[in-house]
């Protein structure tokens, strides 16, 4: 039994091996693949697991089932939701997360930059490079101090990609994760947080209105 997040149903489940591991030809190392079935009763769909090792398995079926770093197809791609963010910006943010999930780090960062640019533009901030826009968003109290500082810390990686300068080394996933987290935080502060606040305020005003009406009705009745 191997445990993973099923790429079909999104649950963390046990995967039961349903075919014997097969050793794939054409690799220098030993690469095995096998079919597994999701144990979630509402799913039961099949996934393919693959693993590469320096040495061969003595007993492939038992040994592969014990592996902890199998790579799975399909891969689970978490769907983030941004209900209070304008549709176009939200859909690009969802795609940035999808890129990150498949380790397409440069794609994730390029989209995250576009999302932050579009957010600034949506708030009427159109001048200067991205960093200047973030500073302006902070000036207008759209984002917090700490978010602006964070943006300064991590802007380098994103800049390389924006200027078509891909660098000597691939972007480390942690850098891409930090940039996506910053994008999430900016969307939270600019759209999601204020929308929640407005909803609370609206429901308080409605409650007060209802209470006032009740009171008036009682007074009229008495
Ligand atoms: Zn499943």
């Amino acid at each position: 039994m191997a445990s993973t997040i099923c790429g079909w149903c999104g649950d963390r489940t046990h995967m039961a091996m349903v075919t014997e591991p097969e050793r794939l030809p054409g690799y220098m190392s030993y690469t095995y693949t096998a079919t597994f079935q999701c144990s979630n009763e509402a799913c039961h769909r099949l996934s393919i697991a693959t693993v590469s090792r320096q040495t061969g398995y003595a007993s492939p079926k038992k040994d592969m089932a014990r592996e902890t770093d199998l790579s799975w197809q399909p891969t689970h791609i978490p769907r983030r939701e941004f209900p209070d963010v304008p549709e176009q910006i939200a859909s690009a943010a969802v795609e940035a997360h999808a890129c990150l999930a498949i380790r397409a780090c440069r794609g994730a960062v390029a989209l995250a930059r576009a999302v932050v640019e579009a957010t600034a533009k949506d708030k009427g901030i159109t001048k200067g490079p991205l960093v200047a826009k973030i500073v302006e968003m902070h000036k207008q109290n759209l984002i917090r101090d700490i978010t602006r500082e964070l943006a300064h810390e991590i802007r380098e990686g994103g800049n390389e990609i924006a200027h078509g300068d891909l660098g000597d080394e691939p972007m480390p996933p942690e850098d891409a994760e930090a940039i996506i987290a910053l994008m999430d935080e900016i969307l939270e502060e600019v759209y999601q947080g204020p929308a929640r606040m407005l909803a609370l305020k609206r429901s308080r005003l409605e409650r007060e209105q209802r209470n006032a009406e009740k009171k008036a009705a009682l007074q009229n009745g008495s």
Side-chain angles (χ1 to χ4, degrees):
M1 286 280 225
S3 173
T4 190
I5 294 178
C6 172
W8 295 105
C9 66
D11 272 11
R12 174 163 286 282
T13 56
H14 283 296
M15 293 286 192
M17 195 186 285
V18 293
T19 61
E20 289 283 334
E22 179 119 7
R23 192 183 156 199
L24 298 178
Y27 285 89
M28 294 294 279
S29 53
Y30 291 81
T31 297
Y32 293 92
T33 190
T35 312
F36 287 74
Q37 186 167 36
C38 173
S39 63
N40 174 3
E41 282 183 12
C43 178
H44 276 190
R45 280 194 259 194
L46 301 177
S47 294
I48 309 286
T50 308
V51 65
S52 287
R53 314 166 28 88
Q54 290 306 312
T55 54
Y57 285 135
S59 101
K61 191 161 188 181
K62 246 196 251 161
D63 293 344
M64 187 168 177
R66 268 194 228 118
E67 290 283 359
T68 51
D69 60 343
L70 299 170
S71 76
W72 294 93
Q73 285 293 330
T75 308
H76 175 62
I77 296 177
R79 294 288 298 181
R80 282 290 306 247
E81 288 190 10
F82 302 93
D84 300 307
V85 175
E87 169 61 27
Q88 263 190 327
I89 299 176
S91 67
V94 168
E95 280 182 31
H97 277 275
C99 285
L100 189 64
I102 58 163
R103 290 286 178 257
C105 294
R106 289 179 294 209
V109 168
L111 278 165
R113 285 184 61 97
V115 164
V116 177
E117 287 269 5
T119 300
K121 214 169 149 190
D122 182 48
K123 293 295 169 185
I125 300 165
T126 54
K127 285 203 191 78
L130 186 54
V131 175
K133 292 193 182 93
I134 291 174
V135 169
E136 187 57 31
M137 281 200 275
H138 174 256
K139 265 193 206 149
Q140 296 189 17
N141 284 326
L142 291 164
I143 60 172
R144 296 179 300 159
D145 295 351
I146 187 131
T147 310
R148 189 203 59 186
E149 280 163 33
L150 197 62
H152 281 280
E153 286 296 320
I154 64 181
R155 71 172 198 251
E156 292 304 324
N159 267 343
E160 281 173 14
I161 289 165
H163 299 139
D165 191 3
L166 293 176
D168 297 332
E169 291 179 19
M171 163 163 287
E174 311 83 74
D175 287 11
E177 274 164 20
I179 292 171
I180 297 289
L182 175 71
M183 174 195 81
D184 285 349
E185 188 54 38
I186 289 175
L187 294 179
E188 171 66 29
E189 288 171 24
V190 175
Y191 298 108
Q192 306 273 136
R196 267 200 305 277
M197 187 68 84
L198 272 178
L200 274 176
K201 198 170 170 186
R202 206 176 305 126
S203 82
R204 178 175 60 80
L205 288 175
E206 280 168 9
R207 203 167 50 240
E208 282 174 6
Q209 173 85 23
R210 274 198 307 276
N211 285 343
E213 281 169 9
K214 256 189 232 161
K215 213 169 162 189
L218 277 176
Q219 276 168 355
N220 284 343
S222 65

